[in-house]
């Protein structure tokens, strides 16, 4: 009998036990001038110019917002050159040679608690915008836009569920720096006038619950609680998290703000704390190398570091005679990259290295495992067939745009069909034909 699949192996047990290697001394740092969200951009520095930590060196531009680019080390601009990004696109990069002095730019300074308390909502939004903060749960959506709502916000949910397998960045942050998360949440609650804060974690993360609740004892004046949600996948999907953490059911396609709720990743909240208190942009990220093709290692590295440098520090690849599959992000929602010569960006937290195993996609056996397991209740095989037939109307009727690309349909398919990829291609097809 075909059953709904919700529990999947997460591969985190051993990764959580690994020590963290601090690699903040990269010789060269690379900053893409454009991204998938910001297809245009420009720099405001020239080759040979000296820059400091936190200094703006360029601006990325999208249709309705701009995003500053900050240096994460002090040093000299040595080049503007084209390089391939993680998706294989050839984009412009600005390169800084590290002088290892780590001199802070004059724009980076600590605010007193009184100054922080006197910030208005407008001030708060402007700071978050100027620091270029984005959603660190993977969306990379500009954080200031979430706070720009005119809706009354009653509750802010800190999403620490991190349901994607092999990712432990949020776990390590909450275990090691709980106060960053809590203070970022408090600053956000104050800015939005929210009376309640909820830190959502998986029920099985008892160690996080203990650490967070102990830290919260220092903030008795704030209504903040730690709530355990299901251990299933994808319990970190924001609508699922909100439903299970505070009991508010939000229809897909509607903004959480329309229901009095803002949901922010815990790492995003930590960056908000740094931005508000120290006027500091995101300078570094937790990064994991995992998989059977490499020694598993946890790092702390500066944004702009080459992943190939970390691979070298980890001792290189294992079983070098076997071809490798490289996945940036998690195995369910991450994307393949053809080379490790890519850069750690604000949202890069992991590269999985797998020894390549050949397999063959087989015909669909109509078991409906993908339908039973789909969290948004669409029909992946029907969508795949509509795409193959070029049926745009059929794709619309089948609601392919509801797909959150969680990867469950591919995971459960006994025929090894890449159904999630068909979902992505179907949505792209609809965009191209204008439906």
């Amino acid at each position: 009998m075909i059953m709904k699949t919700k529990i999947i192996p997460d591969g985190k047990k051993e990764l959580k036990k690994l020590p963290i290697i601090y690699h903040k001394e990269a010789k060269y740092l690379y900053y893409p001038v454009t991204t998938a969200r910001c297809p245009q951009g420009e720099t405001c520095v020239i080759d040979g110019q000296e820059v400091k930590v936190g200094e703006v060196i360029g601006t990325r531009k999208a249709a309705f917002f701009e995003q500053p680019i900050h240096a994460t080390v002090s040093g000299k601009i040595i080049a503007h050159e084209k390089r391939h990004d993680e998706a294989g696109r050839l984009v412009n990069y600005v390169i800084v040679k590290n002088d290892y002095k780590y001199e802070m730019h004059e724009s980076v300074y600590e605010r007193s608690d009184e100054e922080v308390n006197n910030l208005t909502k407008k001030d708060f939004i402007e700071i978050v915008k100027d620091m270029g903060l984005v959603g660190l749960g993977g969306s990379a959506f500009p954080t200031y836009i979430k706070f720009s709502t005119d809706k009354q916000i009653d509750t802010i949910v800190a999403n620490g569920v991190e349901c994607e397998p092999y990712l432990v960045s949020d776990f390590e942050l909450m275990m090691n720096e709980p106060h960053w998360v809590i203070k970022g949440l408090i600053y956000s609650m104050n800015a939005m006038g929210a009376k309640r804060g909820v830190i959502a974690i998986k029920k099985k993360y008892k160690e996080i619950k203990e650490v967070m609740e102990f830290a919260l004892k220092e903030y008795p004046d704030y209504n903040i609680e730690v709530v355990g949600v299901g251990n299933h996948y994808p319990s970190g999907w924001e609508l699922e998290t909100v439903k299970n953490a505070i009991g508010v059911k939000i229809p897909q396609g509607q903004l959480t703000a329309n229901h009095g709720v803002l949901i922010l990743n815990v790492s995003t909240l930590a960056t908000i704390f740094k931005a508000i208190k120290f006027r500091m942009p995101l300078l570094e990220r937790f990064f994991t190398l995992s998989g059977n093709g490499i020694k598993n290692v946890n790092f702390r590295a500066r944004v702009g570091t080459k992943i190939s440098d970390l691979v070298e520090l980890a001792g290189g690849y294992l079983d070098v005679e076997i071809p490798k599959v490289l996945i940036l992000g998690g195995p369910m929602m991450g994307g393949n990259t053809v080379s490790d010569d890519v850069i750690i960006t604000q949202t890069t937290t992991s590269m999985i290295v797998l020894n390549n195993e050949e397999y063959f996609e087989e015909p669909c056996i109509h078991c409906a495992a993908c339908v039973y397991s789909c969290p948004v209740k669409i029909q992946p095989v029907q969508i795949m067939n509509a795409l193959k037939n070029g049926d745009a109307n059929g794709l619309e009727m089948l609601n392919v745009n509801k797909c959150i690309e969680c990867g469950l349909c591919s995971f459960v398919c006994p025929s090894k069909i890449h159904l999630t990829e068909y979902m992505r291609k179907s949505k792209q097809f609809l965009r191209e034909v204008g439906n």
Side-chain angles (χ1 to χ4, degrees), residues 259-278:
H259 298 260
V261 181
L262 279 188
I263 180 166
L264 296 154
N265 176 266
V266 290
S267 291
T268 305
L269 288 168
T271 66
I272 288 173
F273 160 65
K274 291 287 193 72
I276 298 298
K277 183 63 176 174
F278 301 102

Side-chain angles (χ1 to χ4, degrees), residues 53-284:
V53 178
E55 184 172 348
V56 174
I57 59 176
T59 304
R60 301 185 183 109
K61 300 180 179 181
F64 60 92
F65 67 87
E66 294 185 352
Q67 186 182 80
I69 307 168
H70 295 90
T72 57
V73 295
S74 57
K76 182 182 291 187
I77 304 293
I78 62 165
H80 290 68
E81 69 177 31
K82 289 188 177 294
R83 296 175 54 87
H84 289 98
D85 66 6
E86 66 275 7
R89 296 179 296 257
L90 194 63
V91 303
N92 291 321
Y93 280 77
V94 59
I95 305 172
V96 176
K97 184 177 181 181
N98 192 352
D99 64 7
Y100 303 104
K101 296 178 182 178
Y102 305 109
E103 294 182 71
M104 289 292 179
H105 190 256
E106 52 268 24
S107 62
V108 180
Y109 59 87
E110 182 176 357
R111 290 184 173 91
S112 67
D113 290 341
E114 183 180 1
E115 287 177 300
V116 171
N117 292 334
N118 289 333
L119 293 174
T120 65
K121 177 182 175 182
K122 182 179 179 181
D123 295 332
F124 177 91
I125 292 172
E126 198 63 28
I127 294 166
V128 171
K129 181 179 181 180
D130 289 345
M131 293 299 100
L133 305 189
V134 299
L136 299 182
S139 72
F141 188 74
T143 302
Y144 82 91
I145 294 177
K146 273 194 173 184
F147 287 103
S148 298
T149 179
D150 58 0
K151 306 296 183 183
Q152 175 61 47
I153 301 301
D154 304 310
T155 304
I156 295 182
V157 177
N159 189 346
V161 178
E162 198 170 40
C163 61
E164 178 87 354
Y166 298 101
L167 300 190
V168 293
S169 177
D170 291 344
F171 178 91
E172 294 291 349
L173 172 69
M174 290 185 286
M175 287 295 293
N176 293 293
E177 303 293 349
H179 293 281
W180 293 2
V181 177
I182 295 168
K183 288 180 179 178
L185 178 56
I186 289 172
Y187 292 169
S188 301
M189 290 168 63
N190 289 342
M192 301 305 292
K195 303 301 182 185
R196 181 188 183 198
V198 173
I199 301 171
I201 62 172
K202 284 187 176 180
K203 289 179 181 177
K204 66 180 181 180
Y205 289 161
K206 300 187 187 307
E207 60 269 64
I208 293 181
K209 185 176 176 65
E210 183 177 331
V211 167
M212 278 293 177
E213 289 185 338
F214 182 79
L216 280 170
K217 291 180 180 179
E218 297 186 27
Y219 310 93
D221 297 333
Y222 295 92
N223 180 20
I224 300 175
E225 61 180 320
V226 182
V227 175
V229 302
N231 299 319
H232 62 280
Y233 181 86
S235 58
W237 174 35
E238 68 173 22
L239 300 189
E240 185 83 356
T241 302
V242 169
K243 181 183 72 173
N244 292 326
I246 62 175
V248 177
K249 295 182 179 180
I250 300 175
Q252 191 177 2
Q254 292 190 20
L255 296 175
T256 62
N258 293 341
H259 298 260
V261 181
L262 279 188
I263 180 166
L264 296 154
N265 176 266
V266 290
S267 291
T268 305
L269 288 168
T271 66
I272 288 173
F273 160 65
K274 291 287 193 72
I276 298 298
K277 183 63 176 174
F278 301 102
R279 213 178 188 285
M280 186 181 293
L282 178 63
L283 300 180
E284 61 185 56

